[in-house]
Amino acid sequence: MAEKNEAMDIITDPKNYTKLDQEVNDDPSVDDCANLSRRNFLKVGGVAAAAATLAGAGAAGFKIGRSDDAYTGYGRTYQGGDMFFNREPFRVKTAAMMEPVGKVERPDRYDFIFDRLKEVVGLLQKGEWNPGMGLEKLPGKVGEYYRKYPEKYRIMLDSLEKRAKSREDWEKGKHERYTLPAAYTEALAHGGMYNRYGSTVPEEPDDAYKETGEPQPPEKWDYRHVKREKPMEFKSPKHATDLIKRMAHLFGTSIVGIGKFDPRFMFTNKMRGMPNGGADWGDKVPEHWKSIIVFGVPMYWDQTYSAIGYCTSYDAYFRSRITAGLLERFINELGYPARAQFPGYHYEIMMEPYMLTTGLGEYSRSGMVMVPELGCNVRPAAVVTNIDFEYDEPISVKMSEFCMKCKICAETCPSGAISFEDEPTTVVRGFKRWLLDDEKCYSQWAAGHTVDALGCRVCIGVCPYSRKNTWIHTLSREIEPRDPTGLVASGLLAMQKNFFKYPKGEDFQADWLGGKEAVYHNPPWYLRAEEVFKDIEKTWEYHGMD
Ligand code: SF4
Ligand code: SF4
């Protein structure tokens, strides 16, 4: 249980501000600040660049830290321009864990847990199968999948039971405690992401197929709004890149990278707009899928730090989806085909490898991609097109290396889904990496103590990289990757582990599973029903950090 929050006390103590403020103002070269750092870092050599960056980052970071804006959202601007991290010094030919060590295999749709669940739930609803009939009678490819992985089948059944129990719990009284988080989620999920009245942004090839019965292959769908006889010609790929990146920011994304489309990361047997959910699409790759624009936004921090009951992934899903829809249409208007890939089921591709190859971030222990500006707190989307761009290269900012020592997400994960291995050893479709046990993770989601089991996200909330953009984080982000000794990383990790006292993994579990329904940080006031409603009496504790 959290008792105090010493690091934040230090950061927010006005005494500390005043002193630093004078130092910065007295000497515009920020020498004191730089000297302080030199004492620490020049000793270890190879960090001349760090000193220069440090001076700027220190001053800029300090200003950001003083601003209220740093505490109210995910950046000072909606587009995240204030969170810029210069990737150029870190470009490498191959991203960490992207060097094949075996035969690179394409993912199948049944590798995606939500496609499996959708099929199982569909069979249950139609009465075509029930658990009493046993695994042998589970039909189709999902049956084949679970017969291959019987352990996962058992976890899946357990999750379905948990989910039913969670709903029962909701009816019995949990709806009071979680009134506001539920309203928040419903607004984003059904007001934005899953519009119950049929109109969605972006438009969906599946919807068109259902309405007309006519298949909507990418060769048709991706061109549907193209009205020009020939596409607008860019002066150069660089002009195309600059324009599209700028528009992506304008449409609401915080980070964006562009790469060559790589069919190795495209699902087989999955193509929206095609009969049978695209299950017969096979491994075809549309010929015009040449380039991919990859982008993402974070979830708001206050809710994310609370995690489980008080956060919702729809928060950022909704904004990344909107960006995807707007960008898709914009590209069509210029005369090019475009196909948006966005949360939740509307991907024909895996996002993570593209985030790595376009240099947005690095693969992490928790199975997500971490980006320098936002850590794991990023929800990606993409648009596939045939425009010629100047492609971004991967980066190496040593985040994956930090994961080797850190393990905070594994220690805190309520379901034990995250690996404790020091180094990644599992070969996943040809690449060596830490593998998230998706079935275990989902079993935690299924027990989420809110309406419709809202998932978990503890691993995002606790990750030291998922921090708001205060001066100290700006500073750390610039210095750590430039320190060849690893001392900075060790120091930051020690601070994280010693200053913050947070609940244990099992405490996050639902009370009916023996947990405390703990949160990482206590929820913000606007998600506490007892703070705003007359008739709600608080009969619970939050068990998180204040
Ligand atoms: S919590 Fe630590 S180990 Fe986990 S993803 Fe973040 S940095 Fe890596
Ligand atoms: S979402 Fe929750 S259960 Fe899943 S890996 Fe993260 S912490 Fe673990």
Coordinates of all heavy atoms in Angstrom, one line a residue, residues 177-237:
R177 N -19.8 2.4 -7.3 CA -18.4 2.8 -7.1 C -17.8 3.3 -8.4 O -17.0 4.3 -8.4 CB -17.5 1.7 -6.5 CG -16.1 2.0 -6.5 CD -15.2 0.9 -5.8 NE -13.8 1.3 -5.9 CZ -12.9 0.5 -5.4 NH1 -13.2 -0.5 -4.7 NH2 -11.6 0.9 -5.5
Y178 N -18.2 2.7 -9.5 CA -17.5 3.0 -10.7 C -18.4 3.8 -11.7 O -18.2 3.7 -12.9 CB -17.0 1.7 -11.4 CG -16.0 1.0 -10.6 CD1 -16.2 -0.2 -9.8 CD2 -14.7 1.4 -10.6 CE1 -15.3 -0.8 -9.1 CE2 -13.7 0.8 -9.8 CZ -14.0 -0.3 -9.1 OH -13.0 -0.9 -8.3
T179 N -19.3 4.5 -11.2 CA -20.3 5.3 -12.0 C -19.5 6.2 -13.0 O -19.8 6.2 -14.2 CB -21.1 6.3 -11.1 OG1 -21.7 5.5 -10.1 CG2 -22.1 7.0 -11.9
L180 N -18.5 6.9 -12.5 CA -17.9 7.9 -13.4 C -16.9 7.2 -14.4 O -17.0 7.6 -15.6 CB -17.2 8.9 -12.5 CG -18.1 10.0 -12.0 CD1 -17.5 10.8 -10.9 CD2 -18.7 10.8 -13.1
P181 N -16.0 6.3 -13.9 CA -15.2 5.6 -15.0 C -16.1 4.9 -16.0 O -15.7 4.9 -17.2 CB -14.4 4.6 -14.2 CG -14.5 5.1 -12.8 CD -15.7 5.9 -12.6
A182 N -17.2 4.4 -15.6 CA -18.1 3.7 -16.6 C -18.6 4.7 -17.6 O -18.7 4.5 -18.8 CB -19.2 3.0 -15.9
A183 N -19.1 5.9 -17.1 CA -19.6 6.9 -18.0 C -18.5 7.4 -18.9 O -18.8 7.6 -20.1 CB -20.2 8.1 -17.2
Y184 N -17.3 7.5 -18.4 CA -16.2 8.0 -19.2 C -15.9 7.0 -20.3 O -15.7 7.4 -21.5 CB -15.0 8.1 -18.2 CG -13.6 8.4 -18.7 CD1 -13.4 9.5 -19.5 CD2 -12.6 7.5 -18.4 CE1 -12.1 9.7 -19.9 CE2 -11.3 7.7 -18.8 CZ -11.1 8.9 -19.6 OH -9.8 9.1 -20.0
T185 N -15.9 5.7 -20.0 CA -15.6 4.7 -21.0 C -16.7 4.7 -22.0 O -16.5 4.6 -23.2 CB -15.5 3.3 -20.4 OG1 -14.3 3.3 -19.6 CG2 -15.4 2.2 -21.4
E186 N -18.0 4.7 -21.6 CA -19.1 4.6 -22.5 C -19.1 5.8 -23.5 O -19.3 5.6 -24.7 CB -20.4 4.6 -21.7 CG -20.7 3.3 -21.1 CD -20.9 2.1 -22.1 OE1 -21.9 2.2 -22.8 OE2 -20.1 1.2 -22.2
A187 N -18.7 6.9 -23.0 CA -18.7 8.1 -23.8 C -17.7 7.9 -24.9 O -18.0 8.2 -26.1 CB -18.4 9.4 -23.0
L188 N -16.5 7.4 -24.6 CA -15.5 7.3 -25.6 C -15.7 6.1 -26.5 O -15.5 6.1 -27.7 CB -14.1 7.2 -24.9 CG -13.6 8.5 -24.3 CD1 -12.5 8.2 -23.3 CD2 -13.1 9.4 -25.3
A189 N -16.2 4.9 -25.8 CA -16.3 3.7 -26.6 C -17.5 3.8 -27.6 O -17.4 3.5 -28.8 CB -16.5 2.5 -25.7
H190 N -18.6 4.3 -27.0 CA -19.8 4.2 -27.9 C -20.2 5.6 -28.5 O -21.0 5.7 -29.4 CB -21.0 3.6 -27.1 CG -20.7 2.1 -26.8 ND1 -20.6 1.6 -25.5 CD2 -20.4 1.1 -27.6 CE1 -20.3 0.4 -25.6 NE2 -20.1 0.0 -26.9
G191 N -19.6 6.6 -27.9 CA -19.8 7.9 -28.5 C -18.8 8.1 -29.6 O -19.0 8.9 -30.6
G192 N -17.7 7.5 -29.6 CA -16.7 7.7 -30.6 C -16.2 6.4 -31.3 O -16.3 6.4 -32.5
M193 N -15.9 5.4 -30.5 CA -15.2 4.3 -31.2 C -16.2 3.3 -31.8 O -16.0 2.9 -32.9 CB -14.3 3.6 -30.2 CG -13.6 2.6 -30.8 SD -12.0 2.3 -30.1 CE -11.8 0.6 -30.5
Y194 N -17.2 2.9 -31.1 CA -18.2 1.9 -31.6 C -19.5 2.7 -31.6 O -20.2 2.6 -30.6 CB -18.3 0.7 -30.8 CG -17.0 -0.1 -30.7 CD1 -16.4 -0.3 -29.5 CD2 -16.5 -0.7 -31.9 CE1 -15.2 -1.0 -29.4 CE2 -15.3 -1.4 -31.8 CZ -14.6 -1.5 -30.6 OH -13.5 -2.3 -30.5
N195 N -19.8 3.4 -32.7 CA -21.0 4.1 -32.7 C -22.2 3.2 -33.0 O -22.3 2.5 -34.0 CB -20.9 5.1 -33.9 CG -22.1 6.1 -33.9 OD1 -23.2 5.7 -33.6 ND2 -21.9 7.3 -34.2
R196 N -23.1 3.1 -32.0 CA -24.2 2.1 -32.1 C -25.2 2.5 -33.3 O -26.0 1.7 -33.6 CB -25.0 2.1 -30.8 CG -24.2 1.3 -29.8 CD -25.0 1.2 -28.5 NE -24.2 0.4 -27.6 CZ -24.1 0.6 -26.3 NH1 -24.7 1.5 -25.7 NH2 -23.4 -0.2 -25.5
Y197 N -25.1 3.7 -33.8 CA -26.1 4.1 -34.8 C -25.6 3.9 -36.2 O -26.1 4.3 -37.2 CB -26.6 5.5 -34.5 CG -27.1 5.6 -33.1 CD1 -26.4 6.2 -32.1 CD2 -28.3 5.0 -32.8 CE1 -26.8 6.2 -30.8 CE2 -28.8 5.0 -31.5 CZ -28.1 5.6 -30.5 OH -28.5 5.7 -29.3
G198 N -24.5 3.2 -36.3 CA -24.1 2.8 -37.7 C -23.1 3.6 -38.4 O -22.4 3.2 -39.3
S199 N -22.9 4.9 -38.0 CA -21.9 5.7 -38.7 C -20.6 5.7 -37.9 O -20.6 5.9 -36.7 CB -22.4 7.1 -38.9 OG -22.3 7.9 -37.7
T200 N -19.5 5.4 -38.5 CA -18.3 5.4 -37.8 C -17.2 6.2 -38.5 O -17.3 6.4 -39.7 CB -17.7 3.9 -37.7 OG1 -17.7 3.4 -39.0 CG2 -18.6 3.1 -36.9
V201 N -16.2 6.7 -37.8 CA -15.1 7.3 -38.4 C -13.9 6.5 -38.0 O -13.7 6.3 -36.8 CB -14.9 8.7 -37.9 CG1 -13.6 9.3 -38.4 CG2 -16.1 9.6 -38.2
P202 N -13.1 5.9 -38.9 CA -13.3 5.9 -40.3 C -14.4 5.0 -40.7 O -14.9 4.1 -39.9 CB -12.0 5.4 -40.8 CG -11.1 5.2 -39.7 CD -11.9 5.2 -38.5
E203 N -14.9 5.1 -42.0 CA -15.8 4.2 -42.5 C -15.2 2.8 -42.6 O -13.9 2.8 -42.7 CB -16.2 4.6 -43.9 CG -16.9 6.0 -44.0 CD -16.7 6.6 -45.4 OE1 -16.1 5.9 -46.3 OE2 -17.1 7.7 -45.5
E204 N -16.0 1.8 -42.5 CA -15.4 0.5 -42.4 C -15.8 -0.4 -43.6 O -16.9 -0.5 -44.0 CB -16.0 -0.2 -41.1 CG -15.1 -0.1 -39.9 CD -14.0 -1.0 -40.0 OE1 -13.0 -0.8 -40.8 OE2 -14.0 -2.1 -39.3
P205 N -14.8 -1.0 -44.2 CA -15.1 -1.9 -45.4 C -16.1 -3.0 -44.9 O -17.0 -3.4 -45.7 CB -13.8 -2.5 -45.8 CG -12.8 -2.1 -44.8 CD -13.4 -1.0 -44.0
D206 N -16.0 -3.5 -43.7 CA -16.9 -4.5 -43.2 C -18.4 -4.0 -43.3 O -19.3 -4.7 -43.6 CB -16.6 -4.9 -41.8 CG -15.5 -6.0 -41.8 OD1 -15.3 -6.6 -42.8 OD2 -15.0 -6.2 -40.7
D207 N -18.6 -2.7 -42.8 CA -19.9 -2.2 -42.8 C -20.5 -2.2 -44.3 O -21.6 -2.5 -44.5 CB -19.9 -0.8 -42.3 CG -19.6 -0.8 -40.8 OD1 -19.6 -1.9 -40.2 OD2 -19.2 0.3 -40.3
A208 N -19.7 -1.7 -45.2 CA -20.1 -1.6 -46.6 C -20.5 -3.0 -47.1 O -21.5 -3.2 -47.8 CB -19.1 -1.0 -47.4
Y209 N -19.7 -4.0 -46.7 CA -19.9 -5.3 -47.2 C -21.2 -5.9 -46.6 O -22.1 -6.5 -47.3 CB -18.8 -6.3 -46.8 CG -19.1 -7.7 -47.1 CD1 -19.3 -8.2 -48.4 CD2 -19.2 -8.6 -46.0 CE1 -19.6 -9.5 -48.7 CE2 -19.5 -10.0 -46.3 CZ -19.7 -10.4 -47.6 OH -20.0 -11.7 -47.9
K210 N -21.5 -5.6 -45.3 CA -22.7 -6.1 -44.7 C -23.9 -5.4 -45.4 O -24.9 -6.0 -45.6 CB -22.7 -5.8 -43.2 CG -21.9 -6.8 -42.4 CD -22.0 -6.4 -40.9 CE -20.7 -6.8 -40.3 NZ -20.2 -5.8 -39.3
E211 N -23.8 -4.2 -45.7 CA -24.9 -3.4 -46.3 C -25.2 -3.9 -47.7 O -26.4 -4.0 -48.1 CB -24.6 -1.9 -46.2 CG -25.8 -1.1 -46.3 CD -25.4 0.4 -46.1 OE1 -24.8 0.7 -45.1 OE2 -25.6 1.2 -47.1
T212 N -24.2 -4.1 -48.5 CA -24.5 -4.3 -49.9 C -24.3 -5.8 -50.3 O -24.7 -6.2 -51.4 CB -23.5 -3.5 -50.8 OG1 -22.1 -4.0 -50.5 CG2 -23.5 -2.0 -50.5
G213 N -23.6 -6.5 -49.5 CA -23.3 -7.9 -49.8 C -22.2 -8.0 -50.8 O -21.8 -9.1 -51.3
E214 N -21.7 -6.9 -51.2 CA -20.6 -6.9 -52.2 C -19.3 -6.9 -51.6 O -19.0 -6.0 -50.7 CB -20.7 -5.6 -53.0 CG -20.7 -5.8 -54.5 CD -20.5 -4.4 -55.2 OE1 -21.5 -3.7 -55.2 OE2 -19.4 -4.1 -55.6
P215 N -18.4 -7.8 -51.9 CA -17.0 -7.7 -51.3 C -16.3 -6.4 -51.5 O -16.5 -5.7 -52.5 CB -16.3 -8.9 -52.0 CG -17.3 -9.7 -52.6 CD -18.5 -8.8 -52.9
Q216 N -15.6 -6.0 -50.5 CA -14.9 -4.7 -50.6 C -13.4 -4.9 -50.4 O -12.8 -4.6 -49.4 CB -15.3 -3.8 -49.4 CG -16.8 -3.6 -49.3 CD -17.3 -2.6 -50.4 OE1 -16.6 -1.6 -50.6 NE2 -18.5 -2.8 -50.9
P217 N -12.7 -5.6 -51.5 CA -11.3 -5.8 -51.4 C -10.5 -4.5 -51.4 O -11.1 -3.5 -51.8 CB -11.0 -6.6 -52.6 CG -12.0 -6.2 -53.6 CD -13.3 -5.9 -52.8
P218 N -9.3 -4.4 -50.9 CA -8.6 -3.2 -50.8 C -8.4 -2.5 -52.2 O -8.4 -1.3 -52.3 CB -7.2 -3.6 -50.3 CG -7.3 -5.0 -49.9 CD -8.6 -5.6 -50.3
E219 N -8.4 -3.4 -53.3 CA -8.3 -2.8 -54.6 C -9.5 -1.9 -55.0 O -9.4 -1.0 -55.8 CB -8.2 -3.9 -55.7 CG -6.9 -4.6 -55.7 CD -6.6 -5.5 -54.5 OE1 -7.6 -5.8 -53.8 OE2 -5.4 -5.9 -54.3
K220 N -10.5 -2.1 -54.3 CA -11.7 -1.3 -54.5 C -11.9 -0.3 -53.3 O -12.0 0.9 -53.6 CB -13.0 -2.2 -54.5 CG -14.3 -1.5 -54.7 CD -15.4 -2.5 -54.8 CE -16.7 -1.8 -54.8 NZ -17.8 -2.7 -54.8
W221 N -11.9 -0.8 -52.1 CA -12.2 0.1 -51.0 C -11.2 1.2 -50.8 O -11.5 2.4 -50.6 CB -12.2 -0.8 -49.7 CG -12.4 0.0 -48.5 CD1 -11.5 0.5 -47.6 CD2 -13.7 0.5 -48.0 NE1 -12.1 1.2 -46.6 CE2 -13.4 1.2 -46.8 CE3 -15.0 0.3 -48.5 CZ2 -14.5 1.8 -46.1 CZ3 -16.0 0.9 -47.7 CH2 -15.7 1.7 -46.6
D222 N -9.9 0.9 -51.0 CA -8.9 1.9 -50.7 C -9.0 3.1 -51.6 O -8.4 4.2 -51.4 CB -7.5 1.3 -50.8 CG -7.2 0.2 -49.8 OD1 -8.2 -0.2 -49.1 OD2 -6.1 -0.3 -49.6
Y223 N -9.6 2.9 -52.8 CA -9.7 4.0 -53.8 C -11.1 4.7 -53.8 O -11.4 5.5 -54.6 CB -9.5 3.4 -55.2 CG -8.1 3.0 -55.5 CD1 -7.6 1.8 -55.2 CD2 -7.2 3.9 -56.1 CE1 -6.3 1.4 -55.5 CE2 -5.9 3.6 -56.5 CZ -5.4 2.3 -56.1 OH -4.1 2.0 -56.4
R224 N -11.9 4.3 -52.8 CA -13.4 4.7 -53.0 C -13.6 6.2 -53.0 O -14.6 6.6 -53.6 CB -14.2 4.0 -51.9 CG -14.0 4.7 -50.5 CD -14.5 3.8 -49.4 NE -14.4 4.4 -48.1 CZ -13.2 4.5 -47.5 NH1 -12.1 4.1 -48.1 NH2 -13.1 5.1 -46.3
H225 N -12.8 7.0 -52.3 CA -13.0 8.4 -52.4 C -12.0 9.1 -53.3 O -12.0 10.3 -53.3 CB -12.8 9.0 -51.0 CG -13.9 8.6 -50.0 ND1 -15.2 8.8 -50.3 CD2 -13.8 8.0 -48.8 CE1 -15.9 8.4 -49.3 NE2 -15.1 7.9 -48.3
V226 N -11.3 8.3 -54.1 CA -10.4 9.0 -55.1 C -11.2 9.5 -56.3 O -11.8 8.7 -57.0 CB -9.3 8.0 -55.5 CG1 -8.4 8.6 -56.6 CG2 -8.5 7.5 -54.3
K227 N -11.2 10.8 -56.4 CA -12.0 11.4 -57.5 C -11.1 11.9 -58.7 O -11.5 12.1 -59.8 CB -12.8 12.6 -57.0 CG -13.8 12.2 -55.9 CD -14.7 13.3 -55.5 CE -14.4 14.1 -54.3 NZ -13.8 13.8 -53.1
R228 N -9.8 12.1 -58.4 CA -8.9 12.6 -59.5 C -8.5 11.5 -60.5 O -8.4 10.4 -60.1 CB -7.6 13.1 -58.8 CG -7.8 14.2 -57.9 CD -6.5 14.6 -57.2 NE -6.8 15.6 -56.2 CZ -7.0 16.9 -56.4 NH1 -6.9 17.3 -57.6 NH2 -7.4 17.7 -55.4
E229 N -8.3 12.0 -61.7 CA -7.9 11.0 -62.7 C -6.5 10.5 -62.4 O -6.2 9.4 -62.6 CB -8.0 11.7 -64.1 CG -9.4 11.9 -64.5 CD -9.6 11.9 -66.0 OE1 -8.6 11.9 -66.7 OE2 -10.8 11.9 -66.3
K230 N -5.6 11.5 -62.0 CA -4.3 11.1 -61.6 C -4.0 11.7 -60.3 O -4.4 12.9 -60.0 CB -3.2 11.3 -62.6 CG -3.3 12.2 -63.6 CD -2.0 12.2 -64.5 CE -1.6 13.6 -64.7 NZ -0.6 14.3 -64.7
P231 N -3.2 11.1 -59.5 CA -2.9 11.6 -58.2 C -2.0 12.9 -58.3 O -1.3 13.1 -59.3 CB -2.0 10.6 -57.5 CG -1.7 9.5 -58.5 CD -2.5 9.8 -59.7
M232 N -2.2 13.8 -57.3 CA -1.4 15.0 -57.2 C 0.1 14.6 -57.1 O 0.4 13.7 -56.3 CB -1.7 15.8 -56.0 CG -3.1 16.3 -55.9 SD -3.5 17.5 -57.1 CE -2.5 18.9 -56.7
E233 N 1.0 15.2 -57.9 CA 2.4 14.7 -57.9 C 3.2 15.6 -56.9 O 3.2 16.8 -57.0 CB 2.9 14.9 -59.3 CG 4.1 14.0 -59.5 CD 4.6 14.0 -61.0 OE1 3.7 14.2 -61.9 OE2 5.8 13.9 -61.1
F234 N 3.9 14.9 -56.0 CA 4.7 15.7 -55.0 C 6.0 16.1 -55.7 O 6.5 15.4 -56.6 CB 5.0 14.8 -53.8 CG 3.8 14.6 -52.9 CD1 3.1 13.4 -53.0 CD2 3.4 15.5 -52.0 CE1 2.0 13.2 -52.2 CE2 2.3 15.3 -51.2 CZ 1.6 14.2 -51.3
K235 N 6.6 17.2 -55.2 CA 7.9 17.6 -55.8 C 9.0 16.6 -55.5 O 9.9 16.4 -56.3 CB 8.3 18.9 -55.1 CG 7.5 20.1 -55.6 CD 8.1 21.4 -55.0 CE 7.3 22.6 -55.5 NZ 7.4 23.8 -54.7
S236 N 8.9 15.9 -54.4 CA 9.8 14.9 -54.0 C 9.2 14.0 -52.9 O 8.3 14.5 -52.2 CB 11.1 15.5 -53.5 OG 10.9 16.1 -52.2
P237 N 9.8 12.8 -52.6 CA 9.3 12.1 -51.5 C 9.4 12.8 -50.2 O 8.6 12.7 -49.3 CB 10.2 10.8 -51.5 CG 10.7 10.7 -52.9 CD 10.8 12.1 -53.4

